[in-house]
Amino acid sequence: MADLTQSPAPLRDLWSRLDKVLLTCAGIALALFILDRSAFLPSITEAFFSLAHTGPFILFAVVAIGVMRATGSERLLEGAFEGREVRMIVLGALAGGLSPFCSCEVIPFVAALLAAGAPLSAVMAFWLASPLMDPAMFAITAGAISFDFALAKTLAAIAIGLMGGFSLMALSGSSFLADPLKAQTPTGCGSCCGSRKLSLNWRFWQEAERRSLFARAAWENLLFLGKWLLLAYLLQALLIRYVPAEWIGTALGGSGIGPILLGAILGAPAYLNGYAAVPLIAGLLEQGMSPGAAMAFVIAGGVSCIPAAVAVWALVKPRIFAAYLGFAVIGAILAGLAWGVVA
């Protein structure tokens, strides 16, 4: 008799190949069509219109990422972790806030730095700033929210990196930083960045391998950003349609530290993806969320989201991981307070 307790292999293979983000988008659309047909077309139209509005920023972002990968310019970041510790912390924070590293790339890069003897303070500066901002994130944030918000988040990412780096530098020699690494650390990335690093060459179009790398990186990031932003804009449309503005205004609106603290606390569990969070924050701001709470939300959620947090957990012991999360929350609150005053 055939074993009916397990799915046939072809069905399992098909399910593993299906894109869960696009399936979620389709599920939202289907649920709207069944449960509230009058809202189906307006919500879908609004989501695609918002995606089209962000289109130029997406294209700029994917071209920039493709150029960085094809030219090998990511190798320039390795020079940031050489020299005096103060210099390494400053350059580590700047590199983290401006580099195009994805969360899985951080693991082998940081593992190599730690193995080479780079101080944990400089690595922490890079770690804290890296998940918060990159060229693609800046472009998407500037298009969906505002250029000023994107610039402020970039400065906050660098400042939080500096705060974490210099805090650990002040603790150097203490028992807290003694033997901070786990016994085994990963040495390679098993997904999007498994290819070898190329030497630096700005004229990438002259080599077939680099042209191919540019096309592949640009296409993969176009699909990645497109599907996540489509999901985010669908959620944004639902948020605006079904969540009363007075609820958002009561919980996260107004002045003072209360909404900022709540934004920082809610940031971690509510964070889907760095790019998906941008239009969601735009929707929350439209519903009455205070600017300071919005900044605290994206900072706390960006540093503590699962991919970024796993990259840190994979390499260091729990006390260093706790410090990483502590820097994230404190930095998010301070950034929220500062942006609340400026905005």
Side-chain angles (χ1 to χ4, degrees):
M1 181 180 292
D3 184 3
L4 301 179
T5 61
Q6 295 183 348
S7 301
L11 292 179
R12 292 200 303 271
D13 294 341
L14 177 61
W15 174 251
S16 64
R17 288 195 299 267
L18 290 175
D19 192 292
K20 308 306 185 294
V21 178
L22 292 179
L23 279 177
T24 303
C25 292
I28 292 173
L30 181 61
L32 267 177
F33 185 79
I34 295 173
L35 301 175
D36 191 358
R37 193 163 300 182
S38 64
F40 172 76
L41 189 58
S43 299
I44 299 299
T45 302
E46 181 180 346
F48 276 98
F49 179 81
S50 298
L51 185 63
H53 174 75
T54 317
F57 299 94
I58 297 175
L59 292 177
F60 171 81
V62 299
V63 170
I65 293 172
V67 170
M68 289 178 183
R69 298 284 166 82
T71 58
S73 55
E74 292 166 310
R75 297 182 67 91
L76 295 174
L77 296 177
E78 297 172 359
F81 297 90
E82 299 174 354
R84 298 178 59 187
E85 187 173 0
V86 170
R87 174 184 178 275
M88 284 189 280
I89 292 172
V90 173
L91 292 181
L94 289 171
L98 303 175
S99 68
F101 276 109
C102 70
S103 296
C104 66
E105 284 177 298
V106 168
I107 299 177
F109 182 75
V110 169
L113 289 174
L114 293 172
L120 185 61
S121 58
V123 173
M124 181 64 76
F126 176 82
W127 253 337
L128 288 166
S130 181
L132 292 176
M133 187 56 68
D134 56 51
M137 181 79 72
F138 188 95
I140 298 300
T141 304
I145 301 177
S146 72
F147 177 85
D148 290 343
F149 190 94
L151 181 60
K153 188 185 175 189
T154 303
L155 295 176
I158 295 171
I160 292 170
L162 292 173
M163 177 186 69
F166 283 116
S167 296
L168 289 191
M169 180 180 173
L171 293 172
S172 60
S174 67
S175 58
F176 181 80
L177 294 183
D179 191 24
L181 305 182
K182 290 183 176 178
Q184 294 181 344
T185 59
T187 58
C189 177
S191 54
C192 66
C193 46
S195 58
R196 67 180 180 88
K197 288 187 177 181
L198 299 174
S199 59
L200 183 63
N201 181 3
W202 295 106
R203 299 182 178 181
F204 69 91
W205 57 87
Q206 296 178 344
E207 300 178 26
E209 181 183 5
R210 293 178 187 269
R211 291 195 301 269
S212 175
L213 181 58
F214 169 82
R216 186 168 65 253
W219 176 246
E220 289 176 354
N221 280 278
L222 179 62
L223 293 178
F224 174 80
L225 292 175
K227 70 184 183 183
W228 273 106
L229 287 172
L230 176 60
L231 173 60
Y233 283 126
L234 283 171
L235 294 175
Q236 180 193 49
L238 298 180
L239 175 72
I240 293 174
R241 178 172 292 274
Y242 295 111
V243 178
E246 56 268 22
W247 289 7
I248 304 297
T250 300
L252 295 170
S255 58
I257 195 173
I260 294 172
L261 289 173
L262 187 57
I265 293 171
L266 294 177
Y271 221 70
L272 295 173
N273 170 277
Y275 300 100
V278 173
L280 287 179
I281 285 296
L284 289 169
L285 286 169
E286 189 175 327
Q287 295 289 85
M289 187 181 200
S290 74
M295 182 62 72
F297 182 95
V298 296
I299 295 294
V303 176
S304 60
C305 68
I306 290 175
V310 166
V312 181
W313 180 261
L315 297 175
V316 298
K317 293 183 176 178
R319 64 179 184 276
I320 306 299
F321 180 73
Y324 169 84
L325 295 181
F327 290 135
V329 174
I330 294 171
I333 294 171
L334 293 176
L337 290 171
W339 181 243
V341 172
V342 172

